[in-house]
Amino acid sequence: MLKSKICDLLGIEYPVFQGGMAWISDAQLAAAVSEGGGLGIIASGSAPASYVREQIEKLCALTNRPFGVNIMLMSEHADEVAKLCAEMKVPVVTTGAGNPSKYMSDWKQAGVKVIPVVASAALAKLMTRLGADAVIAEGGESGGHIGELNTMVLTPVVCGSTSLPVIAAGGIADGRGLAAAFMLGACAVQVGTRFLTAEECNISDVYKQKILQANDLSTMVTGRRLGHPVRCLRTPFARNYLKAEYEGMPDDELEALGAGSLRRAVKDGDVERGSFLSGQSAALVSQIQPAADIIKDIVEGGEKLLRGAAQWVK
Ligand code: TUI
């Protein structure tokens, strides 16, 4: 049985988090993951607090198990969502795309477990000092907004900079990734891309098929020029956006081109105008399955590899 200190800390069965993916990680997906023994996470993305409240209420009708809410700190609604999470005393808050320092004391007072995504050792140290319960080291193999470092370096660097439990993310889609992450010092993994093909994941069929068909060269990074690099599938939209970036399209026009593009991918499956965020691990995803089976496959695969690791030592 694969257990780690994060299981006891959060009251979950397996050390697997589901990534909080904007427009995607709703109550249905998060509840299925929590029911499957992992930590389901509702993504607030750029939505207002009213949407997040609705999703939390829906989730609580579907499961009694622990869950999390992810707060995307670049959102104009981040303040109100942060307040809601404290008011509703959600079990776990994860944060992304920024520094959550100003909210930490409110969450701690409300008894919320706080687990920020850190993209550097410096932020890991600051979060440790401010009372975070764990940190997520999310490397650049991830889908969506990414930092500079990849998982292979970020994870051990973050582990070396804090005594808190570290959850590794970025490029992890199966037992091999979980075993590798544990060897790097992590005590849990966060998985996003593989859950895109969960039966309970409410995205367009086009999106699911594109993930199933993806290979190792299917993702690319847009948004570097505006300072918000984002990994996504290599679609006509992404190619055009990158071309516009390099051909010097003015910032406001570039922003207008990107506005609404996540929704158009998730809801409409629009490859001409939608941004299909995906991690590199789409290359490792080949099946539509219930979320609970995905968790079992990752955990059982990881357990087998970790048990067999002694074979390398003579
Ligand atoms: O946040 C994510 N992934 C995301 S957010 C998102 S929505 C979006 N849409 C359009 C443009 C940009 C975002 C899609 N995917 N992952 C967590 C994450 N956080 N990755 C990297 C970071 C990060 C980076 C720097 C966290 C903290 C940080 O430091 C900030 C500071 O001020 O120290």
Side-chain angles (χ1 to χ4, degrees):
M1 199 176 34
L2 190 75
K3 282 275 171 207
S4 78
K5 54 189 169 188
I6 207 78
C7 299
D8 298 329
L9 179 72
L10 305 180
I12 57 178
E13 210 172 331
Y14 304 117
V16 177
F17 290 18
Q18 160 250 314
M21 300 171 281
W23 287 99
I24 296 172
S25 303
D26 61 6
Q28 192 182 348
L29 179 62
V33 170
S34 288
E35 277 293 296
L39 185 75
I41 296 180
I42 292 168
S44 57
S46 51
S50 55
Y51 166 84
V52 181
R53 177 189 290 279
E54 193 182 290
Q55 293 301 313
I56 293 170
E57 284 167 355
K58 250 189 189 164
L59 178 140
C60 290
L62 293 169
T63 181
N64 290 321
R65 299 214 177 177
F67 65 95
V69 173
N70 174 260
I71 304 181
M72 208 279 275
L73 296 169
M74 290 193 309
S75 164
E76 58 176 310
H77 301 293
D79 284 353
E80 63 181 68
V81 177
K83 201 161 155 237
L84 175 78
C85 289
E87 266 169 31
M88 292 185 82
K89 299 188 187 302
V90 300
V92 178
V93 161
T94 67
T95 64
N99 178 342
S101 294
K102 65 174 173 175
Y103 307 119
M104 298 282 286
S105 66
D106 282 357
W107 290 330
K108 297 305 300 170
Q109 263 174 33
V112 173
K113 296 254 179 347
V114 182
I115 312 187
V117 167
V118 296
S120 66
L123 193 58
K125 282 184 185 156
L126 178 63
M127 292 300 106
T128 307
R129 213 166 57 233
L130 295 183
D133 294 280
V135 292
I136 302 171
E138 186 180 298
E141 297 93 329
S142 303
H145 180 60
I146 53 173
E148 283 296 332
L149 292 177
N150 286 349
T151 306
M152 190 81 162
V153 169
L154 183 65
T155 306
V157 162
V158 168
C159 289
S161 72
T162 179
S163 53
L164 294 176
V166 175
I167 298 98
I172 301 168
D174 57 25
R176 293 169 295 184
L178 180 142
F182 274 54
M183 291 294 100
L184 294 174
C187 65
V189 294
Q190 177 166 282
V191 173
T193 300
R194 183 147 181 207
F195 284 114
L196 291 175
T197 61
E199 280 176 7
E200 299 87 349
C201 182
N202 292 307
I203 57 176
S204 60
D205 273 347
V206 173
Y207 206 148
K208 284 195 182 179
Q209 288 307 319
K210 292 199 89 56
I211 295 296
L212 293 173
Q213 288 157 8
N215 65 24
D216 51 339
L217 301 178
S218 296
T219 73
M220 59 189 281
V221 177
T222 59
R224 287 201 195 278
R225 205 190 84 202
L226 293 184
H228 304 306
V230 163
R231 183 176 297 286
C232 60
L233 291 177
R234 196 177 285 282
T235 56
F237 172 82
R239 282 205 185 91
N240 288 337
Y241 189 96
L242 194 71
K243 195 158 166 263
E245 271 186 86
Y246 281 91
E247 285 178 351
M249 180 184 272
D251 287 6
D252 54 341
E253 284 179 39
L254 207 52
E255 263 174 43
L257 192 59
S261 62
L262 301 189
R263 193 191 55 75
R264 288 193 287 272
V266 172
K267 302 287 179 205
D268 313 334
D270 182 347
V271 292
E272 299 296 334
R273 297 172 61 238
S275 183
F276 292 70
L277 303 191
S278 166
Q280 293 177 347
S281 69
L284 306 174
V285 178
S286 57
Q287 220 184 324
I288 292 179
Q289 287 172 294
D293 290 2
I294 293 175
I295 296 168
K296 277 216 171 60
D297 177 70
I298 295 170
V299 170
E300 284 171 7
E303 201 174 301
K304 200 166 154 212
L305 286 170
L306 290 167
R307 263 189 219 290
Q311 71 174 301
W312 302 111
V313 187
K314 299 289 177 223

